[in-house]
Amino acid sequence: MKQLEFNRHRRLRQTASIRRMVRETSVKTDDLIYPIFVIEGEGVKNEIPSMPNVFQWSLDLVDTEVEEAVALGILSIIVFGVPADKDDVGSSAYHDHGIVQKAIRQIKEKHPDLTVIADTCLCQFTDHGHCGVIEDGKILNDPTLDLLAKTAVSQAEAGADIIAPSNMMDGFVAAIRHGLDEAGYHDVPIMSYSVKYASAFYGPFRDAAHSSPKFGDRKTYQMDPANRLEAIREAQSDIEEGADFLIVKPALSYLDVIREVKDHSGFPVVAYNVSGEYSMIKAASQNGWVDEKAIVLEKMTSMKRAGADLILTYHAKDVARWLKETN
């Protein structure tokens, strides 16, 4: 043994204090974006069956949820709307009295310093559940762009700090940037769902947002999970069209893509820790199979280590509590 030569890596793991001193990646409450679902009606607090501890909130109750997030130090939320009425072009997505617009006005009035992000899509608002205009069973790209721009402008008018288009139509960032600029909202950033895969991890969200397609699937506009280089092309297009943040969705099965997008773009990258990823851990923890706190914090760290600057996650409130306990 005296003749062996090797490195003593364990020296830097001897105590919790030393491990913290040399830790390369950290998760902060500032990194978190918390999703909130708002729904028409009064006195509504519906727990999503497939997403424990995640609720649909009516406007008369949603302040409770927002105030809790703010009290935990969460700096930003993203608003998803569940409308009362739907039609074939999702017109309630861009009405000034739409559920998202009403929620934004209410939240910004009470919490002017909170960053409110508006999810900008049509699928929750169309009666067919697709993210664009339908003709002869096909999702039409270019006619959809006008509706997305109208939706973004109406959300900015309501007070949204950031517009987050999630539909994956070609040219959607260019159309929204043009619409915002033309309406005088030059300073409103776009947090684009630049890399959104046609993933099996979205099921619980579609329960929450009532957004499942009534026919077919979304594979003609969302990306093939097998493709990595295409993600770089998609992100580059959005940068050229005026995006300010780039979202990769889902996160956990696409950490390699997060790293690629970060390295190639240098832009702020958002990891969307999606509903299926959330629900799997909740189900396992409820059965006593995993340590929820440990596994969630490890998951958050993996996303930051992969290159994410921000994490959009349904775990946000729990993570904020755990980080307070640690500090």
Side-chain angles (χ1 to χ4, degrees), residues 178-190:
H178 176 76
L180 290 172
D181 290 350
E182 196 171 54
Y185 296 105
H186 306 88
D187 295 330
V188 173
I190 295 175

Side-chain angles (χ1 to χ4, degrees), residues 278-307:
Y278 171 88
S279 297
M280 288 191 302
I281 288 178
K282 280 292 184 183
S285 66
Q286 288 178 350
N287 279 284
W289 296 337
V290 297
D291 179 332
E292 182 178 357
K293 175 181 176 181
I295 204 168
V296 169
L297 291 177
E298 183 177 340
K299 180 171 69 168
M300 297 294 113
T301 302
S302 75
M303 295 171 196
K304 288 294 298 291
R305 190 183 65 243

Side-chain angles (χ1 to χ4, degrees), residues 205-226:
F205 174 90
R206 292 175 183 173
D207 291 341
H210 299 174
S211 62
S212 296
K214 295 294 189 294
F215 68 91
D217 54 42
R218 295 179 175 144
K219 293 180 180 179
T220 65
Y221 45 105
Q222 294 178 359
M223 285 178 51
D224 184 338

Side-chain angles (χ1 to χ4, degrees), residues 35 37 48-54 80 193 196 199-212 218 248-252 271-284 299-300 303 312-315:
F37 296 94
I48 313 306
S50 55
M51 298 178 71
N53 298 329
V54 176
F80 296 94
Y193 288 66
K196 183 177 181 180
S199 171
F201 284 98
Y202 301 153
F205 174 90
R206 292 175 183 173
D207 291 341
H210 299 174
S211 62
S212 296
R218 295 179 175 144
V248 177
K249 178 183 181 183
L252 197 56
Y272 194 147
N273 177 209
V274 299
S275 58
E277 297 167 346
Y278 171 88
S279 297
M280 288 191 302
I281 288 178
K282 280 292 184 183
K299 180 171 69 168
M300 297 294 113
M303 295 171 196
L312 201 166
T313 178
Y314 304 95
H315 295 289

Side-chain angles (χ1 to χ4, degrees), residues 45-158:
K45 182 185 176 183
N46 292 333
E47 185 171 23
I48 313 306
S50 55
M51 298 178 71
N53 298 329
V54 176
F55 299 85
Q56 297 168 332
W57 299 88
S58 55
L59 294 182
D60 58 322
L61 299 182
V62 73
D63 289 334
T64 303
E65 178 76 335
V66 175
E67 287 166 6
E68 183 179 3
V70 170
L72 288 166
I74 293 171
L75 301 180
S76 57
I77 64 169
I78 184 167
V79 178
F80 296 94
V82 183
D85 300 306
K86 304 187 179 193
D87 58 29
D88 61 346
V89 293
S91 59
S92 57
Y94 45 85
H95 282 170
D96 61 1
H97 56 276
I99 183 63
V100 170
Q101 288 79 357
K102 290 189 291 187
I104 292 168
R105 289 190 190 96
Q106 178 176 311
I107 293 167
K108 287 301 292 185
E109 182 178 356
K110 297 187 177 181
H111 301 280
D113 295 329
L114 179 67
T115 297
V116 177
I117 305 165
D119 178 76
T120 306
C121 197
L122 301 178
C123 60
Q124 299 103 295
F125 304 93
T126 56
D127 52 16
H128 46 72
H130 277 287
C131 301
V133 175
I134 301 290
E135 186 177 292
D136 297 327
K138 292 184 178 181
I139 298 91
L140 302 183
N141 194 92
D142 295 8
T144 301
L145 300 181
D146 291 334
L147 302 183
L148 293 170
K150 287 175 64 175
T151 301
V153 170
S154 73
Q155 293 169 338
E157 288 174 345

Side-chain angles (χ1 to χ4, degrees), residues 218-258:
R218 295 179 175 144
K219 293 180 180 179
T220 65
Y221 45 105
Q222 294 178 359
M223 285 178 51
D224 184 338
N227 291 356
R228 177 179 59 85
L229 297 178
E230 184 184 9
I232 299 169
R233 297 196 298 272
E234 286 278 5
Q236 186 59 41
S237 291
D238 285 2
I239 290 169
E240 293 168 359
E241 293 173 21
D244 302 282
F245 303 80
L246 308 174
I247 297 176
V248 177
K249 178 183 181 183
L252 197 56
S253 293
Y254 298 86
L255 296 176
D256 59 322
V257 177
I258 292 172

